Amino acid sequence: MSDLETLTIALIGGGNMARGIIGGLIGKGARPSSITVSEPQEASRQGLVADFGVRVTADNTEAVRGAQVVVLAVKPQLMSAVARALAAAVRDANPLVISVAAGIRADRLQHWLGAGITVVRAMPNRPALIGAGASGLYAADSVSAERRRLAERVLASTGLVVWVTREEQIDAVTALSGSGPAYFFRLAELMAEAGVALGLDADVARQLAAQTLAGSGQLVAAEKTPDLARMRAEVTSKGGTTEAALNTFAAQDFNKLVTAAMTAAEHRSRELAAQFGD
Ligand SMILES: NC(=O)c1ccc[n+]([C@@H]2O[C@H](COP(=O)([O-])OP(=O)(O)OC[C@H]3O[C@@H](n4cnc5c(N)ncnc54)[C@H](OP(=O)(O)O)[C@@H]3O)[C@@H](O)[C@H]2O)c1
């Protein structure tokens, strides 16, 4: 019997990230009937039932009743109102609360939910939808090893899990893996556009760009401990075409551009905390 099979889990918000987590949990043995998703839109609720067979409700309080784990998966700007409204219900059930919201600090969640409630922050990413996600987790020192293991079990159903020791590192995780899929998609889009500029049909260029992204990812995934620099070197012959392209990246400060982009994402994560953390 899977560990997850015996867990009762509530998800507050049934959007994209919640779907990724639900898919991961069920894929790893959680029972759909033990998962309750609270979601305001009737059409979204019907979609969740059709796709996963989970229980659904429009009432957040009803969802958390009896839950051992509550995953908060609403937008950061809604978190304060949603968490405050759940305070009485979580006080009764005393579940482990996992928040996947960007920017919202554990101490704020704790404050809204009430003293004594265990909060773990998680920053997953979109490939969680197919079990290929990457999540950073953070918990305050006061959170027990048992509850950390429980949070890890839930997120591990969606892919890789790493712990960070300082909460501000979650902002860096957000900038790297949380927002990261969009960077690769953007690069592939630009490669397709450049392919068209070099004479390819748009559809051919799009297919080649998408498959190059997918194939490269699979190659990395097939390595036990991927060494990205070595893998790059292996496909870069001296004096060849790839080297010509990479030299152009270097000459135009691609590394600085990537650092600047990720710094902007990290900054935005901290801004969200300041904006929606009260
Ligand atoms: N998407 C990502 O790649 C990603 C990555 C890492 C972390 N996150 C975090 O995950 C969280 C959710 O993001 P998302 O992309 O999944 O957003 P999303 O698709 O908009 O999902 C949020 C869901 O919450 C529902 N909702 C709105 N108000 C609610 C309420 N009062 N009670 C319960 N549910 C409510 C929304 O319904 P309506 O559509 O009716 O408003 C929507 O279905 C965010 O905090 C984000 O920071 C997302």
Side-chain angles (χ1 to χ4, degrees), residues 60-61 64 80-95 109-115 117:
N60 292 350
T61 304
V64 305
S80 163
V82 165
R84 284 173 202 267
L86 280 178
V90 292
R91 189 180 53 230
D92 295 341
N94 193 21
L109 288 159
Q110 187 98 58
H111 175 71
W112 298 327
L113 291 165
I117 301 301

Side-chain angles (χ1 to χ4, degrees), residues 20 24 28 127-133 156-160:
K28 288 284 189 295
L129 278 170
I130 56 162
S157 71
T158 68
L160 174 80

Side-chain angles (χ1 to χ4, degrees), residues 12-18 38-41 60 73-76 78 82 100-102 123-126 178:
I12 307 302
N16 288 311
M17 194 35 68
S38 181
E39 164 58 44
Q41 300 275 350
N60 292 350
V74 296
K75 293 284 187 198
L78 294 176
V82 165
V100 298
M123 179 45 58
N125 67 5
R126 196 61 177 275

Side-chain angles (χ1 to χ4, degrees), residues 181-265:
Y183 312 158
F184 290 116
F185 299 149
R186 183 66 183 136
L187 181 60
E189 263 184 286
L190 292 173
M191 286 164 60
E193 284 173 24
V196 171
L198 292 173
L200 294 174
D201 287 345
D203 190 45
V204 167
R206 185 190 50 75
Q207 285 188 59
L208 290 174
Q211 181 53 33
T212 303
L213 175 61
S216 305
Q218 283 169 22
L219 214 51
V220 171
E223 297 270 321
K224 258 207 183 91
T225 42
D227 176 344
L228 298 173
R230 176 186 53 74
M231 293 180 76
R232 171 175 49 77
E234 280 171 4
V235 292
T236 311
S237 325
K238 266 249 157 312
T241 56
T242 309
E243 189 182 67
L246 292 178
N247 285 345
T248 307
F249 277 162
Q252 310 246 354
D253 276 341
F254 189 47
N255 54 345
K256 276 198 190 145
L257 183 60
V258 171
T259 305
M262 284 180 51
T263 304

Side-chain angles (χ1 to χ4, degrees), residues 11-21 37-42 44 48 57-60 72-79 81-82 99-104 122-127 134 174 177-179 181 272:
L11 290 102
I12 307 302
N16 288 311
M17 194 35 68
R19 280 179 157 268
I21 295 171
V37 187
S38 181
E39 164 58 44
Q41 300 275 350
E42 169 67 20
S44 303
L48 289 160
T57 173
D59 180 346
N60 292 350
L72 300 176
V74 296
K75 293 284 187 198
Q77 45 272 47
L78 294 176
M79 197 53 94
V82 165
S99 165
V100 298
I104 306 294
M123 179 45 58
N125 67 5
R126 196 61 177 275
T174 306
S177 51
S179 301
L272 284 172

